[in-house]
Amino acid sequence: MNLNNLHSIYFLGIGGIGMSALALYFHKNGMKVSGYDRTQTSLTNKLQAEGINIHYQDDIDKIPENIDLVIYTPAIPGDLKELQYLKNKGVQILKRSEVIKILTSEKQTIAVAGTHGKTTVTTLIAHLLTQSKIGCSAFLGGISKNYDANLLTSDSSGWMVVEADEYDRSFLNLYPTIGIITSLDADHLDIYGDFENLKSSFRQFAEQIKNDGLLIIKKGIELNPDQSTGLKIYNYSINEKADFYTENIKLKGDKYIFDLITPENQISGLELGIPGLINVENAVAAVAAAYLTGAEEHELKSALSLFTGIHRRFDYRIKTENLIYIDDYAHHPEELKGIINSVRKIYPEKTILGIFQPHLYSR
């Protein structure tokens, strides 16, 4: 399907973090974009401020005429009246992940998978490449503070960076040049049934990396994908030797400085602009990806220190001498361990109170 020939695109669930980035992408490319969402949010407000028409009632009379394509998210209920109406009308309907598949097929793609950590790693890679001579376009799973956006675009770069979501097996629509796997823990078992099925899907994702492509994977994750296509595998770690690993990690205030050992050399004195030991691990994966695309050492050092983070990822909302309030999207037990341990290392003398809101009923 040639997406460049479309004139009018309609989104069901336009306010989602991934859907809103896609809507904005098509809008910026001169197409008429409109959509439905159940709830008005800051994301939908931003889209409306750009001139995108959005309504918040499930009402078929509000659907515009002459739609070329409908894009929907699996989070939309199957009995939604608008969805049923559009299906019966015979309009072309694609999932968001299917559209991302088409867009990424035209680029050299870096796809970041993992049961946690992928949004931070994706955003970090996009920032590192944007601040280097490489450049990139990117669909982010969070709002980058550096750019106040979940979409980055470049007319000159042949690289695209995307988050590869395992939910609903969406990431199996991707065939990247570089694949990254940050973590593999039991999650979304309402979809996969058991951990072995989840692991099998991650192995399939790795084996879908293009011929002679690269897999960057956290050390300790045992997938053993088929490498007959020329797949080259790099592992990374912050606590043991790997293809990419850290040495001399030091805490400076609430930020970390560290050296990165690569397969060829050592990059000394990297300073991460955001707090959290868990983010040092995320930074190793991101720097490895940017390094392997050709970003230079001085570009990586400068960009990493200037990274200001992502909304709702180790996000300081209050920071005074007597009270610190951090907002974080962590919902998987391993993510919760990561954020709690990271906070404890920075503030060893403080009492931590955690307030947890489950992200899905299945959790």
Side-chain angles (χ1 to χ4, degrees):
M1 182 179 187
N2 189 342
L3 298 175
N4 296 319
N5 294 335
L6 301 175
H7 301 287
S8 178
I9 304 176
Y10 187 66
F11 284 77
L12 289 172
I14 196 169
I17 191 71
M19 291 283 279
S20 60
L22 201 53
L24 195 57
Y25 173 84
F26 285 117
H27 177 72
K28 286 181 179 295
N29 278 277
M31 296 168 200
K32 182 181 179 183
V33 175
S34 56
Y36 156 82
D37 207 286
R38 184 177 61 180
T39 308
Q40 185 172 1
T41 65
S42 59
L43 281 173
T44 58
N45 289 341
K46 186 170 183 178
L47 293 178
Q48 287 179 299
E50 291 279 344
I52 295 173
N53 185 28
I54 301 174
H55 62 270
Y56 302 96
Q57 303 84 32
D58 181 12
D59 184 351
I60 63 173
D61 291 331
K62 294 186 181 296
I63 299 173
E65 296 291 327
N66 303 317
I67 297 169
D68 297 316
L69 174 67
V70 175
I71 302 173
Y72 76 102
T73 166
I76 286 290
D79 60 356
L80 190 80
K81 284 183 287 187
E82 290 195 21
L83 179 61
Q84 292 300 320
Y85 171 78
L86 290 163
K87 281 182 176 178
N88 292 332
K89 198 175 179 184
V91 182
Q92 174 88 350
I93 300 177
L94 294 176
K95 286 184 183 179
R96 175 188 174 273
S97 58
E98 293 171 323
V99 177
I100 293 292
K101 175 184 178 180
I102 297 169
L103 292 175
T104 55
S105 67
E106 303 167 356
K107 299 270 189 178
Q108 293 187 91
T109 299
I110 301 174
V112 184
T115 44
H116 46 89
K118 54 185 174 287
T119 297
T120 301
V121 174
T122 304
T123 308
L124 253 171
I125 293 170
H127 170 69
L128 294 173
L129 293 183
T130 297
Q131 297 299 317
S132 79
K133 66 180 184 300
I134 307 294
C136 71
S137 296
F139 292 96
L140 308 177
I143 303 296
S144 164
K145 290 185 178 182
N146 287 85
Y147 309 98
D148 191 30
N150 55 347
L151 171 72
L152 301 181
T153 57
S154 169
D155 294 329
S156 58
S157 176
W159 284 95
M160 182 173 282
V161 184
V162 298
E163 195 167 310
D165 192 356
E166 76 279 6
Y167 179 74
D168 198 38
R169 295 182 171 85
S170 293
F171 66 163
L172 297 184
N173 281 298
L174 297 171
Y175 295 80
T177 310
I178 298 176
I180 299 170
I181 298 177
T182 64
S183 50
L184 181 51
D185 298 296
D187 200 2
H188 299 304
L189 298 187
D190 51 328
I191 292 168
Y192 289 98
D194 59 37
F195 178 68
E196 284 306 313
N197 282 331
L198 176 68
K199 186 175 180 180
S200 177
S201 286
F202 271 83
R203 184 181 301 110
Q204 184 179 337
F205 167 75
E207 290 175 345
Q208 288 181 187
I209 294 170
K210 289 179 179 175
N211 290 355
D212 300 316
L214 309 178
L215 172 64
I216 302 169
I217 186 167
K218 181 180 174 181
K219 189 167 186 178
I221 299 175
E222 299 297 336
L223 282 183
N224 302 314
D226 179 11
Q227 292 180 254
S228 62
T229 60
L231 177 67
K232 183 158 187 183
I233 300 176
Y234 294 90
N235 53 34
Y236 71 92
S237 176
I238 65 164
N239 51 29
E240 58 182 314
K241 288 191 175 181
D243 296 310
F244 291 87
Y245 68 98
T246 58
E247 286 187 343
N248 304 318
I249 299 177
K250 297 183 179 71
L251 188 61
K252 177 184 174 185
D254 62 355
K255 311 286 173 54
Y256 284 92
I257 297 173
F258 59 95
D259 300 334
L260 180 67
I261 312 301
T262 79
E264 289 85 24
N265 60 7
Q266 174 175 315
I267 305 175
S268 301
L270 284 165
E271 182 173 350
L272 179 59
I274 58 173
L277 194 59
I278 186 67
N279 286 322
V280 175
E281 181 175 279
N282 290 330
V284 174
V287 173
Y291 176 87
L292 291 170
T293 63
E296 295 181 6
E297 181 177 325
H298 69 92
E299 295 173 327
L300 295 171
K301 290 181 76 168
S302 172
L304 196 66
S305 67
L306 295 173
F307 184 64
T308 52
I310 308 154
H311 289 289
R312 302 211 61 210
R313 287 358 184 243
F314 211 114
D315 190 1
Y316 282 109
R317 307 304 290 270
I318 299 171
K319 190 178 181 183
T320 68
E321 188 175 337
N322 297 318
L323 176 65
I324 293 162
Y325 169 37
I326 298 169
D327 184 19
D328 197 278
Y329 189 69
H331 46 264
H332 188 281
E334 291 301 318
E335 286 180 304
L336 293 169
K337 285 181 190 175
I339 184 71
I340 293 166
N341 289 338
S342 293
V343 172
R344 172 57 63 224
K345 286 185 182 299
I346 297 170
Y347 303 107
E349 304 302 321
K350 289 191 178 290
T351 300
I352 298 173
L353 170 65
I355 303 169
F356 176 66
Q357 178 186 23
H359 182 52
L360 293 171
Y361 75 92
S362 57
R363 294 187 174 120

